[in-house]
Amino acid sequence: MAGMVEAIHVKRKTMFEFEGSPYACLDSDISTPTARGGQTLVRLKMRNLLTGAVFEKTFKAQDKFNEPDLELVPATYLYSDPVGSYFLNQESFETLTLTGNMLADAMDYLIDGTALQVRLYNGEPIGLQLPIFVELDVAHTEPAVRGDTSSGATKMARLETGLEIKVPLFIKEGEKVKVSTELKEFAGRA
């Protein structure tokens, strides 16, 4: 049986099960009472991993949660069609299908052959864990204007997936750039 975790020990990025669904903690705040006999409360900002819904809820410090049956498997992005997006499980070589609501904005970073991890809950795919950085080609950007060289100057660039980010003026069309999937921003030349 999976272990139990107390609410007071739930920290950022902790996974836990609440009301039969898996959740990821986005933030936790512990309120210790000043009066004697008061209860310590834990306010959790949490994301439902099945629906993507985010909300806050307060628990008593001693409330317990089950650890969810979550597993990350290495996979490669294959292609998408109107039914969903398809990934090749690198361990079992079976094809995993995820629908649009399971992907959220992950499609902004996926090109054929992108290596990532698929999150399974009770053996079924429920979402992705993207790499921290992905390398994408710049599909379109305006040429830098001579004399426009103030420090830190940026311009908009559209990448091969359609994602638009700010890049430094020296980046040209056709170059490969490194993009942070957490911050959705330029992280350097590839």
Side-chain angles (χ1 to χ4, degrees):
M1 183 179 158
M4 300 285 277
V5 61
E6 286 188 348
I8 197 149
H9 298 297
V10 174
K11 304 290 180 236
R12 190 173 183 273
K13 295 189 177 182
T14 301
M15 306 290 182
F16 61 97
E17 202 168 72
F18 175 65
E19 295 179 344
S21 293
Y23 284 85
C25 176
L26 303 176
D27 194 23
S28 70
D29 182 42
I30 299 172
S31 301
T32 309
T34 53
R36 290 177 49 150
Q39 287 191 337
T40 300
L41 299 175
V42 180
R43 184 164 187 81
L44 298 178
K45 183 174 184 180
M46 48 201 220
R47 172 178 314 221
N48 184 317
L49 296 176
L50 298 177
T51 65
V54 175
F55 60 94
E56 291 187 10
K57 187 156 175 65
T58 303
F59 299 94
K60 294 176 186 169
Q62 66 274 15
D63 285 349
K64 294 184 191 256
F65 304 109
N66 284 324
E67 290 181 357
D69 179 17
L70 287 174
E71 179 184 3
L72 288 172
V73 295
T76 305
Y77 172 65
L78 297 174
Y79 66 95
S80 294
D81 66 15
V83 175
S85 295
Y86 302 90
F87 301 84
L88 179 66
N89 181 331
Q90 294 296 312
E91 292 176 343
S92 67
F93 299 106
E94 65 180 298
T95 302
L96 304 171
T97 306
L98 280 84
T99 59
N101 62 343
M102 293 176 180
L103 297 172
D105 61 353
M107 292 307 294
D108 289 341
Y109 308 102
L110 298 181
I111 57 173
D112 292 352
T114 300
L116 44 81
Q117 293 183 310
V118 173
R119 180 174 283 124
L120 303 178
Y121 176 61
N122 294 333
E124 294 296 319
I126 61 166
L128 299 178
Q129 182 155 328
L130 293 168
I132 296 170
F133 298 104
V134 293
E135 294 180 0
L136 299 170
D137 290 330
V138 175
H140 175 74
T141 188
E142 298 297 322
V145 178
R146 190 169 171 84
D148 189 10
T149 57
S150 62
S151 65
T154 60
K155 60 184 177 179
M156 292 304 291
R158 188 175 64 250
L159 306 178
E160 62 186 304
T161 60
L163 177 66
E164 292 192 0
I165 61 170
K166 290 183 178 181
V167 296
L169 294 176
F170 59 82
I171 299 294
K172 301 179 188 85
E173 280 185 27
E175 280 192 69
K176 208 174 245 324
V177 294
K178 192 187 320 187
V179 180
S180 165
T181 58
E182 286 184 359
L183 303 174
K184 298 182 183 182
E185 64 185 30
F186 174 80
R189 279 184 164 149

